């Protein structure tokens, strides 16, 4: 397998200027970033390939060597790769997106030597249907690690000072040569801090943090549905030694309603209606999210017909109006009849002695159809 030409990888000519190289790389990096192409290994390969090409072509010395001797001059083999963490100004190029995209994880190491950002946390929140319909506010009680009070987060016993790390001389990074490249690695002894704790704090055993319960108020927007996440910025785990904390993601699970079925912002409610009302027409009371409402059943309504009540569904979570409420009409067989009603029905039945029974065709069978289709749009 031969390595692709770096100019070809970035789609530029051999006399490309530094800004050309930078902009070509930026475009590719943004396009192929794994966060934008989850699970796409071809994109990830392209992303790494572009990073490697950029690492060489953006460096005047390396570019000169590459122009004269090709890949062989750099001592890179098809499998060796380049550690992009050695880039200077990597963040500048991606306009700060580097942080969002988490380059550290991608390359199996940290983007830069230094304290690590806090991890994101997930909290699964169950809410009842009505809270999703109206919106609500709830308080979560969560344990979180906070900076230790005794040592103010340093991890060193009060009064003592951390010593300089002997491994890296306080730089936090260890550098070594590999071919023409200088590789920088985070110091493993001090984990990039440059200092080591000589006398650990007793309260936190040198960790610099302690666990504490705290309360968080979460606003649940009306119209939220199961699986949607609310992001609480900075409420995740603390970062290492002063680095920014992660975020807390509240994943919402909405409970079922006894009779409203939900499909996006629309609702479906099945109501049995007395047979004579279906034949003769009339008005009935149906439940909505805001209490009962009277609707008109047109004369000759078939079982399974769906009547639409516009804007009586769930509110849209992004504030774009409301869904619709569909009322599906079924036959109420009137099992509890008065003596008088029973006599009337018998009288009616007698007049139907010659009624011919015909099976329904498959197409008109209401059970076969999926939810929310074939709506009889009377109120729309
Ligand atoms: Zn402490
Ligand atoms: Zn060190």
């Amino acid at each position: 397998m031969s390595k692709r030409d770096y100019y070809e990888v970035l789609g530029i000519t051999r006399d490309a200027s530094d800004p050309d190289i930078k902009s070509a790389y930026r475009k590719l990096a943004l396009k192929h970033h794994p966060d934008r192409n989850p699970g796409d290994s071809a994109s990830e390969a392209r992303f790494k390939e572009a990073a490697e090409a950029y690492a060489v072509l953006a460096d005047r010395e390396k570019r000169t060597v590459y122009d004269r001797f090709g890949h062989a001059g750099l001592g890179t083999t098809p499998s060796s790769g380049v550690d992009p963490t050695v880039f200077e100004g990597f963040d500048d190029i991606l306009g700060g997106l580097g942080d969002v995209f988490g380059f550290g994880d991608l390359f199996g190491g940290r983007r830069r030597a230094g304290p690590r950002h806090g991890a994101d946390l997930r909290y699964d929140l169950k809410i009842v249907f009505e809270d999703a319909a109206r919106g609500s506010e709830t308080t979560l009680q969560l344990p979180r690690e906070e900076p230790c009070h005794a040592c103010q987060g340093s991890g060193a016993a009060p009064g003592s000072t951390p010593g300089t790390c002997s491994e890296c001389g306080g730089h936090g990074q260890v550098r070594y040569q590999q071919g023409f490249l200088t590789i920088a690695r985070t110091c493993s002894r001090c984990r990039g801090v440059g200092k080591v704790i000589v006398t650990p704090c007793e309260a936190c055993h040198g960790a610099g943090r302690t666990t504490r319960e705290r309360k968080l108020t979460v606003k649940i927007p009306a119209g939220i549905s199961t699986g949607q996440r609310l992001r609480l910025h900075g409420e995740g785990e603390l970062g290492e030694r002063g680095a920014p904390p992660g975020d807390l993601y509240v994943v919402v699970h909405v409970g079922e309603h006894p009779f409203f079925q939900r499909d996006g912002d629309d609702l479906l409610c099945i109501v049995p209606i007395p047979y004579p009302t279906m034949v003769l027409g009339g008005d009935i009371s149906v439940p909505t999210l805001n209490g009962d409402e009277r609707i008109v059943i047109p004369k000759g309504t078939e079982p399974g017909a769906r009547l639409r009540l516009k804007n009586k569904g769930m509110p849209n979570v992004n504030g774009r109006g409301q869904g619709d409420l569909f009322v599906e009409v079924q036959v109420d067989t009137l099992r509890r009849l008065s003596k008088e009603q029973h006599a009337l029905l018998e009288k009616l039945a007698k007049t139907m002695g010659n009624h011919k029974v015909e099976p329904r065709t498959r197409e008109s069978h209401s059970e076969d159809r999926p939810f929310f289709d074939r709506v009889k749009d009377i109120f729309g």
Side-chain angles (χ1 to χ4, degrees):
M1 197 181 98
S2 65
K3 243 174 132 65
R4 282 221 292 160
D5 175 64
Y6 286 150
Y7 291 96
E8 190 189 315
V9 167
L10 295 183
I12 49 175
T13 56
R14 297 194 87 80
D15 57 3
S17 66
D18 286 351
D20 288 347
I21 295 171
K22 200 168 178 172
S23 102
Y25 168 62
R26 189 176 192 277
K27 256 180 232 158
L28 286 168
L30 292 176
K31 182 178 172 199
H32 294 292
H33 194 281
D35 276 9
R36 293 188 173 177
N37 307 275
D40 182 349
S41 57
S43 273
E44 188 174 333
R46 294 273 292 143
F47 180 77
K48 288 187 178 176
E49 192 183 37
E52 183 181 327
Y54 177 74
V56 171
L57 298 186
D59 182 307
R60 196 143 291 175
E61 264 176 61
K62 286 175 198 156
R63 187 178 174 186
T64 308
V65 172
Y66 178 72
D67 285 346
R68 290 184 65 190
F69 305 107
H71 291 297
L74 297 167
T76 53
T77 61
S79 59
S80 73
V82 167
D83 181 356
T85 57
V86 301
F87 296 0
E88 297 287 329
F90 197 77
D91 279 347
D92 300 344
I93 294 164
L94 296 181
L97 285 172
D99 282 349
V100 180
F101 285 157
F103 281 96
D105 292 335
L106 180 63
F107 293 107
R110 257 177 274 168
R111 184 165 26 90
R112 248 195 321 214
R116 198 192 305 249
H117 284 209
D120 291 337
L121 296 176
R122 174 191 169 124
Y123 185 92
D124 287 277
L125 178 69
K126 281 189 181 131
I127 59 171
V128 296
F129 187 91
E130 286 78 5
D131 282 348
R134 290 188 195 111
S136 68
E137 203 174 271
T138 187
T139 305
L140 313 179
Q141 189 155 350
L142 297 167
R144 183 170 82 162
E145 290 197 315
E146 297 198 336
C148 171
H149 269 282
C151 62
Q152 285 170 329
S154 74
S160 79
T161 45
T164 302
C165 172
S166 57
E167 190 74 27
C168 60
H171 296 295
Q173 282 192 338
V174 183
R175 289 171 181 272
Y176 59 93
Q177 287 287 128
Q178 188 185 319
F180 285 89
L181 298 174
T182 301
I183 310 285
R185 286 257 177 260
T186 301
C187 173
S188 56
R189 180 152 187 256
C190 63
R191 289 185 293 160
V193 180
K195 294 193 183 308
V196 284
I197 291 160
V198 187
T199 319
C201 162
E202 274 179 37
C204 63
H205 307 286
R209 49 182 71 188
T210 49
T211 302
R212 184 181 298 189
E213 289 281 322
R214 77 241 156 88
K215 284 182 178 168
L216 281 176
T217 304
V218 183
K219 274 202 164 76
I220 297 159
I224 199 153
S225 49
T226 292
Q228 286 184 317
R229 309 189 304 178
L230 305 169
R231 179 179 174 204
L232 278 73
H233 186 76
E235 300 291 355
E237 271 183 19
L238 283 188
E240 249 176 27
R241 288 162 221 275
D247 297 329
L248 172 68
Y249 287 95
V250 177
V251 182
V252 175
H253 302 266
V254 181
E256 304 243 313
H257 190 273
F259 44 77
F260 288 130
Q261 298 171 62
R262 188 173 175 186
D263 179 12
D265 294 338
D266 292 333
L267 293 175
L268 172 70
C269 179
I270 298 173
V271 290
I273 294 180
Y275 162 72
T277 310
M278 298 180 74
V279 179
L280 305 171
D283 66 1
I284 57 158
S285 175
V286 293
T288 75
L289 289 175
N290 303 311
D292 288 353
E293 201 159 302
R294 294 199 78 80
I295 63 168
V296 175
I297 303 296
K299 201 168 154 183
T301 295
E302 295 269 354
R306 288 184 181 172
L307 311 178
R308 178 157 88 169
L309 281 73
K310 248 194 147 155
N311 302 325
K312 298 282 179 184
M314 290 293 268
N316 180 276
V317 75
N318 298 313
R320 276 182 239 120
Q322 272 185 294
D324 300 329
L325 168 63
F326 294 93
V327 174
E328 180 174 314
V329 175
Q330 290 296 348
V331 184
D332 185 343
T333 50
L334 306 173
R335 270 173 294 181
R336 269 183 243 155
L337 290 174
S338 69
K339 257 189 171 172
E340 190 197 356
Q341 287 167 332
H342 197 98
L344 285 169
L345 265 186
E346 274 188 328
K347 211 169 170 183
L348 174 66
K350 266 180 202 151
T351 68
M352 301 182 107
N354 298 323
H355 184 76
K356 191 168 182 290
V357 174
E358 280 183 55
R360 279 208 174 165
T361 55
R362 184 172 283 279
E363 291 79 55
S364 66
H365 198 285
S366 62
E367 300 292 311
D368 284 344
R369 67 182 191 177
F371 274 177
F372 295 112
D373 70 341
R374 295 218 261 152
V375 167
K376 197 166 180 185
D377 193 357
I378 290 165
F379 295 87

